[in-house]
Amino acid sequence: MSDNPNQQQAAAVENAAAGRGGLSQEELDALVASSDTGGRGAAGTVGLFLTCVALAWSLFQLWIASPIPFIVGWGVFNDTESRSIHLAFAIFLAFAAFPATRTKFQLGLGIVVPVALAALFMIGAKEGTVTWWIPLIAIAIVAAVILGSPKDRVPLWEWALAVIGAIAALYLFVYYRDISGRVGAPIMQDFVVAVIGLMLLLEATRRALGPALMIVASVFLVYTVLGPYMPSIIAHKGNSLSEIVNHQWITTEGVFGIALGVSTSFVFLFVLFGSLLDRAGAGNYFIQVAFSLMGHMKGGPAKAAVVSSAMTGLISGSSIANVVTTGTFTIPLMKKVGFSSEKAGAVEVASSVNGQIMPPVMGAAAFLMVEYVGIPYFDVVKHAFLPAVISYIALVYIVHLEALKAGMEGLPRAYTPKPIVRRLIGIAFTIAAICAISFIVYYGMGWIRPAFPNSAGYIIFAFLTLVYVGLLYIASKEEPLELDDPNAPVTSLPLPGPTIRSGLHFILPVVVLVWALMVDRLSPGLSAFWATTYMVFILVTQRPLTALMRGDSALGSAVVQGVKDLIDGLETGARNMIGIGIATATAGIIVGAVSQTGVGSALADVVEVLSGGNILAILFLTAILSLILGMGLPTTANYIVVSALLAPVIVTLGQQNGLIVPLIAVHLFVFYFGIMADVTPPVGLASFAAAAVSGGDPIKTGVVAFFYSLRTAALPFLFIFNTELLLIGVTWAQGIFVFIIATIAMLLFAAATQGWFLAKNRFYETIALLLIAFTLFRPGFWMDMVYAPYNEENPTEIAAAALATPVGEDLRLRVAGVNDLGDPIEFVAILPIEEGATGEERLENAGLMFREDGDTLFIDDVSFGSAAQSAGLDWDQEVLRVLRPVNQPSKYLMFIPALLLLALVVFLQRGRRPAPARKEAAA
């Protein structure tokens, strides 16, 4: 995997930068291009043509997301047709914009995979199927690979690959009606297009994303055909070429499946929105605001890096782009206040990678979770919000500890601060004003839709435009924010007030997005469309309006520059989507192979054998697999693959072990460890990018960043066992309480892993801090050891147990039966107890009837649509154990010994705490 083009490019730039700690903008642009937008620098007519193609892609995506096609009755595409066009754009631009890396390994891979797939497809062809043409396709692709891939132009053979690949993707769009009439019975034309499409998609994957995903997808295709020859535990009947063509290419089970659909419907628009927002100047604004507010603190530039990366992460789906966007400014400033190159890079890596767990975009995974978990987008954001915020707060604290260790100071302020009381009053007044404005807007706009149902959209747009003009007028009175040279000496920080006022209008598109998602509850795609449309309006108008308000005579050039900014933003958005489009399509091959071969159930057996059925061991195996796959796979593809393979396994085996894990918790678990791979050495791409900026060692940067990110690795294990962290089943008051306690626990965990709390930790203090943090996160673990939460009853006494269980509480039944495949299985079912005068009546209302056979209890019948059926219970299952809930003291009582232990640690460290204030007084 060391031949990944992204890594090589990053390493090359890093080596060039080593020793001087700063890169030119051109080198940084090359670094981002190599991983995100395409490293080929075609100029002239070809460059203009590629720009037009990227623009066409962005405009197409805006068109299908808008309500306009339905209003005019033209240009309406169904899901399959739009996915086909989306992939055609991605494949075309992948071949045109990404030159292939010419290392021996990459070259070998480009030759071996097409040849191996040709042989595989010929083996899988049914008797009588004509296959002489398959080797010709492989030979043509191999020839194109051998001929080379220059970085400064697009040769004829790569134009051919791009055009033929796009045509293969468009096949579903052009022949949609014909294909729908022969599903399951592909003709020779389908065979040819599917084989060409699969081979070219894998070659495009190698170019745009490196070898890892290409290899993994190829392995799954091999497994699909050679199933009978696999070890018995994962063997299957094998699938023919006809079945592969039908499943993978001409239906929506494989390449054109859910993942590509999410990329088409949601992800593109959010990436485009982020690109336009950044082009308007919001990225620089976020950085400058963070520095003006936090730069004066201990380790201030590092804290500002964390905050600015969090704000950039709101709109960015790429950790590498986030590192380079914010890191070019933050890393040199961190080094100025005393951070080493490696630590400065590691802080930026940890904060930028965390940007992918920050709603609403979450590196495109949030939209995939909507489809895979089957819950509304609002709920996905709600569940993901708390862990993301806690993780960022902990990272700010880690930076603070690093500053304390080294005795760092912040950068000089640009003003003399007011007394603390006046500052607190000012902050309180600001918060109250924001709350009052939010209240007025929410309830004031709430009556507009009922009062003016047909014109509400125009009224809201007019209101937003008035606010926008007002905020732009305020901004026009301030000096424009320039992109500072991070390598220039810093004399003072920018003033907070003018800095904040200079870009308040950038918040409006984000407000539109959040309002549409959270208040109007529109679909993610439509919400992103309205936010992007408003962003287009701002991008085109902000320069001319600002010029008018400042009395600038160069109005014409401001208009032209605004249009240029829009075109640049649309092009960059499309180029940023090339990798994601290819990744979701190729991941579809893997998902299709899983559904076609039934490897998921076989994998459950493998994992159960390896883990011995222990849920913690299963989680560790899943985490390790996510990290390994994530070393070469983009975050989105990694999440798709691991969630398809292991998410159902964790839920099933958890249920068998008595741990009922919500599906969203499992998917977030997989996702968190997928993004950790961007940090983890030896392949963490974000670490290479940060080292290129800092001039540090990329492996050392990755190691330090991994330790900084331990808090992100701990959170998934915690919310699997304590789903309150995901705000599942909690009220608002409980949610606030959980947030406060979990934040304190995470800060203590960070203090333990960093070896510093009030002073340097002794080993027993580190152990104590870890113990306290664990207790605050999961107090029920200790309480369950002191007071058992359930009484075990004889199965034949289930009616008495049901009567003794309060209505609304859950009765737990361990049952034995068979699964859908007829294999024996044991699991724990949670049965909600409903109203009833007797135990038998309560069980019957829950949908259960039993029969006794001596001392053995069997389920005799389960009512359709009942709570019992939802719990997975079925007739003829044997009830092995009945667990009745008992009154248990509040688990939060365990906080008392934990806090006493914390007080002891504080007492022990106070005497060793450095006291700079006393030293200054003595001086």
Side-chain angles (χ1 to χ4, degrees):
M1 292 195 191
S2 60
D3 293 301
N4 188 307
N6 304 347
Q7 299 158 32
Q8 289 189 327
Q9 189 80 5
V13 181
E14 183 273 324
N15 289 333
R20 62 190 179 95
L23 289 179
S24 69
Q25 192 59 46
E26 290 76 16
E27 290 170 314
L28 291 167
D29 290 342
L31 179 62
V32 177
S34 69
S35 64
D36 284 351
T37 59
R40 179 171 275 143
T45 307
V46 172
L48 181 62
F49 175 69
L50 293 182
T51 297
C52 291
V53 173
L55 280 174
W57 191 10
S58 288
L59 294 173
F60 166 74
Q61 295 290 159
L62 286 169
W63 174 263
I64 62 172
S66 74
I68 298 171
F70 300 97
I71 294 170
V72 300
W74 178 84
V76 178
F77 302 97
N78 64 34
D79 286 348
T80 306
E81 290 171 332
S82 55
R83 291 174 194 181
S84 173
I85 297 169
H86 179 84
L87 182 59
F89 275 116
I91 289 180
F92 183 88
L93 287 171
F95 282 111
F98 285 89
T101 303
R102 294 284 292 179
T103 63
K104 288 181 181 178
F105 178 73
Q106 287 268 32
L107 193 61
L109 200 63
I111 294 169
V112 169
V113 169
V115 171
L117 288 181
L120 194 71
F121 291 151
M122 293 178 76
I123 292 169
K126 290 179 180 176
E127 192 173 341
T129 304
V130 178
T131 59
W132 58 266
W133 50 272
I134 297 179
L136 299 181
I137 296 169
I139 290 168
I141 293 173
V142 167
V145 170
I146 292 173
L147 282 170
S149 184
K151 283 196 170 188
D152 56 347
R153 61 188 177 86
V154 185
L156 187 63
W157 52 90
E158 296 206 321
W159 281 121
L161 292 178
V163 171
I164 294 169
I167 291 171
L170 285 170
Y171 184 69
L172 261 74
F173 169 67
V174 176
Y175 291 96
Y176 178 77
R177 296 203 176 278
D178 295 341
I179 292 170
S180 63
R182 57 171 188 265
V183 174
I187 60 174
M188 183 53 65
Q189 181 177 293
D190 300 338
F191 278 79
V192 174
V193 172
V195 168
I196 291 172
L198 286 169
M199 286 189 180
L200 287 181
L201 176 60
L202 290 173
E203 174 59 19
T205 304
R206 181 178 75 88
R207 290 161 179 263
L209 302 166
L213 185 55
M214 181 194 199
I215 293 170
V216 174
S218 301
V219 167
F220 272 88
L221 286 173
V222 170
Y223 175 73
T224 303
V225 175
L226 303 182
Y229 308 102
M230 295 291 159
S232 58
I233 195 167
I234 59 168
H236 65 99
K237 70 176 183 63
N239 297 97
S240 66
L241 177 59
S242 173
E243 291 167 334
I244 292 172
V245 166
N246 182 70
H247 198 81
Q248 294 284 11
W249 201 263
I250 64 171
T251 65
T252 55
E253 298 297 321
V255 171
F256 297 93
I258 287 174
L260 187 63
V262 170
S263 176
T264 306
S265 304
F266 307 145
V267 179
F268 191 105
L269 288 165
F270 278 86
V271 170
L272 180 60
F273 174 71
S275 173
L276 292 172
L277 197 55
D278 186 57
R279 188 68 195 140
N284 181 45
Y285 173 69
F286 290 155
I287 294 169
Q288 299 278 14
V289 167
F291 266 86
S292 69
L293 293 174
M294 305 187 76
H296 65 280
M297 300 177 181
K298 287 182 182 293
K303 291 174 182 172
V306 175
V307 174
S308 58
S309 290
M311 291 191 286
T312 307
L314 289 170
I315 57 170
S316 168
S318 167
S319 53
I320 296 168
N322 199 341
V323 165
V324 174
T325 302
T326 57
T328 50
F329 188 73
T330 59
I331 289 173
L333 291 176
M334 282 189 261
K335 291 169 69 175
K336 281 188 175 74
V337 296
F339 281 84
S340 67
S341 296
E342 285 75 22
K343 284 188 176 180
V347 169
E348 184 56 51
V349 169
S351 52
S352 293
V353 168
N354 258 40
Q356 294 202 60
I357 66 173
M358 179 62 77
V361 178
M362 292 173 62
F367 315 112
L368 290 161
M369 286 180 196
V370 170
E371 299 295 328
Y372 287 151
V373 182
I375 61 175
Y377 177 80
F378 178 84
D379 289 347
V380 171
V381 171
K382 182 182 79 173
H383 298 319
F385 180 72
L386 197 59
V389 173
I390 291 170
S391 189
Y392 264 115
I393 291 172
L395 184 56
V396 172
Y397 183 60
I398 287 172
V399 167
H400 181 70
L401 293 176
E402 287 286 3
L404 286 177
K405 287 183 201 176
M408 297 178 197
E409 294 300 326
L411 296 169
R413 286 183 192 259
Y415 67 103
T416 303
K418 296 175 183 175
I420 185 70
V421 175
R422 288 184 63 187
R423 274 188 285 162
L424 289 174
I425 292 170
I427 292 169
F429 178 78
T430 305
I431 292 170
I434 292 170
C435 291
I437 292 168
S438 303
F439 182 85
I440 292 166
V441 168
Y442 182 82
Y443 289 100
M445 292 179 72
W447 61 268
I448 293 177
R449 290 195 187 279
F452 306 98
N454 297 322
S455 54
Y458 301 106
I459 295 170
I460 292 170
F461 175 75
F463 172 74
L464 279 173
T465 303
L466 284 174
V467 174
Y468 163 61
V469 172
L471 292 176
L472 203 59
Y473 178 77
I474 293 170
S476 70
K477 301 304 175 188
E478 307 296 341
E479 288 295 318
L481 291 180
E482 300 294 339
L483 278 168
D484 293 342
D485 179 3
N487 297 306
V490 178
T491 54
S492 66
L493 292 166
L495 285 164
T499 305
I500 292 169
R501 289 193 295 271
S502 66
L504 284 171
H505 57 286
F506 293 132
I507 299 170
L508 282 178
V510 180
V511 170
V512 171
L513 177 65
V514 173
W515 182 279
L517 284 170
M518 304 298 180
V519 180
D520 280 352
R521 300 290 182 96
L522 301 180
S523 71
L526 194 55
S527 301
F529 167 75
W530 289 120
T532 304
T533 305
Y534 200 71
M535 193 61 243
V536 168
F537 170 71
I538 288 178
L539 203 58
V540 172
T541 59
Q542 69 169 351
R543 287 181 185 272
L545 286 175
T546 304
L548 277 173
M549 291 169 181
R550 287 180 174 153
D552 195 334
S553 59
L555 184 61
S557 63
V559 173
V560 171
Q561 189 58 47
V563 174
K564 281 184 179 178
D565 287 343
L566 174 60
I567 292 170
D568 286 348
L570 291 171
E571 181 191 3
T572 305
R575 282 179 167 267
N576 284 338
M577 271 303 299
I578 298 170
I580 297 175
I582 296 293
T584 50
T586 310
I589 294 175
I590 299 162
V591 175
V594 170
S595 64
Q596 190 171 23
T597 61
V599 69
S601 57
L603 197 67
D605 295 336
V606 173
V607 171
E608 189 168 19
V609 168
L610 290 174
S611 64
N614 183 288
I615 188 68
L616 203 57
I618 294 166
L619 292 173
F620 270 112
L621 284 171
T622 306
I624 291 166
L625 180 64
S626 297
L627 284 173
I628 292 170
L629 283 175
M631 285 181 179
L633 269 62
T635 307
T636 308
N638 186 19
Y639 165 69
I640 294 167
V641 173
V642 182
S643 62
L645 289 173
L646 287 178
V649 175
I650 295 173
V651 173
T652 302
L653 296 182
Q655 189 180 23
Q656 292 175 17
N657 286 273
L659 178 68
I660 308 302
V661 185
L663 192 56
I664 182 66
V666 178
H667 278 259
L668 284 170
F669 181 93
V670 167
F671 177 62
Y672 267 56
F673 278 99
I675 65 161
M676 281 290 291
D678 269 352
V679 177
T680 312
V683 192
L685 299 185
S687 300
F688 276 83
V693 179
S694 72
D697 180 89
I699 300 298
K700 287 181 182 176
T701 301
V703 171
V704 177
F706 179 77
F707 278 101
Y708 288 168
S709 299
L710 280 176
R711 73 206 189 287
T712 309
L715 272 170
F717 285 98
L718 294 164
F719 61 59
I720 285 284
F721 291 100
N722 182 7
T723 54
E724 289 179 351
L725 288 171
L726 301 179
L727 301 180
I728 294 175
V730 297
T731 63
W732 273 101
Q734 289 171 322
I736 293 169
F737 176 73
V738 167
F739 170 69
I740 293 168
I741 295 299
T743 302
I744 294 169
M746 186 50 74
L747 297 183
L748 294 174
F749 177 82
T753 55
Q754 292 304 303
W756 189 285
F757 184 35
L758 302 179
K760 186 175 181 180
N761 295 344
R762 290 174 177 155
F763 78 93
Y764 53 84
E765 292 169 340
T766 296
I767 295 169
L769 288 171
L770 288 172
L771 193 61
I772 296 163
F774 177 76
T775 304
L776 295 178
F777 271 124
R778 199 175 167 222
F781 177 82
W782 304 113
M783 187 56 75
D784 289 351
M785 294 176 72
V786 178
Y787 287 94
Y790 298 98
N791 269 354
E792 185 169 350
E793 309 283 355
N794 191 308
T796 55
E797 300 296 322
I798 189 169
L803 186 61
T805 302
V807 174
E809 294 283 323
D810 297 326
L811 198 63
R812 292 187 168 226
L813 311 179
R814 185 162 193 87
V815 298
V818 293
N819 62 14
D820 295 338
L821 301 175
D823 297 324
I825 188 174
E826 284 189 18
F827 67 95
V828 174
I830 294 183
L831 184 69
I833 295 299
E834 301 185 11
E835 291 281 1
T838 64
E840 288 82 358
E841 190 176 325
R842 288 185 171 192
L843 291 170
E844 194 171 331
N845 290 341
L848 275 180
M849 295 184 70
F850 298 94
R851 73 173 192 276
E852 292 185 28
D853 186 358
D855 291 334
T856 306
L857 184 71
F858 291 94
I859 297 174
D860 195 41
D861 191 25
V862 176
S863 301
F864 179 77
S866 64
Q869 187 187 44
S870 301
L873 297 172
D874 206 350
W875 69 279
D876 219 28
Q877 289 174 340
E878 180 186 351
V879 180
L880 303 175
R881 297 171 67 197
V882 176
L883 297 173
R884 176 176 60 82
V886 296
N887 287 329
Q888 188 185 41
S890 172
K891 62 184 179 182
Y892 299 119
L893 290 174
M894 287 296 162
F895 288 171
I896 296 172
L899 293 174
L900 289 173
L901 185 57
L902 178 61
L904 177 62
V905 173
V906 170
F907 176 76
L908 291 173
Q909 291 205 356
R910 278 188 67 188
R912 307 197 306 274
R913 183 179 183 179
R918 285 198 296 268
K919 287 179 186 175
E920 288 167 13

